[in-house]
Amino acid sequence: MYDPTVARLTYRALLGRRRALILGALPLLLIAISVVVRALAGADDQTASDLLGGLALATMVPIIGVIAGTGAIGPEIDDGSVVYLLSKPVKRPTIIFTKLIVAIAVTMVFSALPTFVAGFILNGNGQQIAVAYTVAALVASIAYAAIFLLLGTVSRHAVVFGLVYALVWEALFGSLVAGARTLSVQQWSLAVAQKVAGGELVTSDVALPTATVLLVVVTVLATWYAGQKLRSLTLAGEE
């Protein structure tokens, strides 16, 4: 289910000079803001939780997921080079699964690691805040990568749709509209973070069992459907 050649090509596409600069911009901004906040306000658990929840988990993680998920396959479909890949003796589900693994890895490195560093800067991991949000970023990276990889497979405007989802649904509606929170990857990952932190600073509107089921179901279904769309794309090209 994992093809090293496909993985190498995907890593090369995602970590090219321009895309790497974009991927690194938000993590550097998060860390810089954390340094400034710590210098001005000192170590404060509530401030750390608010910043990690509002900037890292609600904004940075989904945007990086958009870049990594859509970038893993979208450009190849847009420029037609996916035909060369599909002509190789590699099963379509293997292509999707390999690209998903790469997208997850890139999203985790550029979101979870900076989240931990920022949390440690803000309050030295007091009340497990840094670890809790890092775990949430890791969990969210898996679901976001699957969702945005699917978007990259089905739409030529995947980046636009992905940013709308990340910035409007997750960051805006997911924070303000109660009903939307149940269908928010952010809230699902916060349920895991709440369990890790074990206090009142990290909360979620979704119970942990429900969040776990939704994370698994969305990831599996998105990956499966992306594979189906890639298979149909192959058939269309062969016809």
Side-chain angles (χ1 to χ4, degrees), residues 1 92-94 96-97 100 145-147 149-150 153-154 216-232:
M1 291 296 291
R92 307 310 179 245
T94 298
I96 289 296
F97 183 76
L100 175 63
I147 291 170
L149 179 64
L150 172 60
T153 306
V154 301
V216 172
V217 169
V218 166
T219 301
V220 171
L221 285 180
T223 304
W224 172 81
Y225 192 61
Q228 295 302 306
K229 294 299 293 183
L230 193 62
R231 182 178 288 113
S232 67

Side-chain angles (χ1 to χ4, degrees), residues 86-118:
L86 297 179
S87 67
K88 300 301 179 181
V90 182
K91 294 181 179 179
R92 307 310 179 245
T94 298
I95 294 174
I96 289 296
F97 183 76
T98 301
K99 287 182 173 294
L100 175 63
I101 295 300
V102 172
I104 289 173
V106 171
T107 306
M108 285 181 171
V109 169
F110 283 92
S111 62
L113 183 58
T115 297
F116 178 76
V117 173

Side-chain angles (χ1 to χ4, degrees), residues 141-227:
S141 295
I142 299 173
Y144 282 134
I147 291 170
F148 297 130
L149 179 64
L150 172 60
L151 274 180
T153 306
V154 301
S155 174
R156 291 181 177 272
H157 306 288
V159 174
V160 175
F161 291 139
L163 289 175
V164 169
Y165 174 84
L167 298 177
V168 177
W169 183 266
E170 290 281 12
L172 183 60
F173 285 98
S175 301
L176 302 177
V177 182
R181 295 170 189 167
T182 306
L183 300 177
S184 167
V185 174
Q186 176 190 348
Q187 290 297 322
W188 303 343
S189 59
L190 277 173
V192 180
Q194 183 179 9
K195 179 66 175 181
V196 174
E200 298 182 355
L201 286 175
V202 183
T203 60
S204 173
D205 291 338
V206 183
L208 182 58
T210 303
T212 303
V213 170
L214 289 172
L215 282 166
V216 172
V217 169
V218 166
T219 301
V220 171
L221 285 180
T223 304
W224 172 81
Y225 192 61

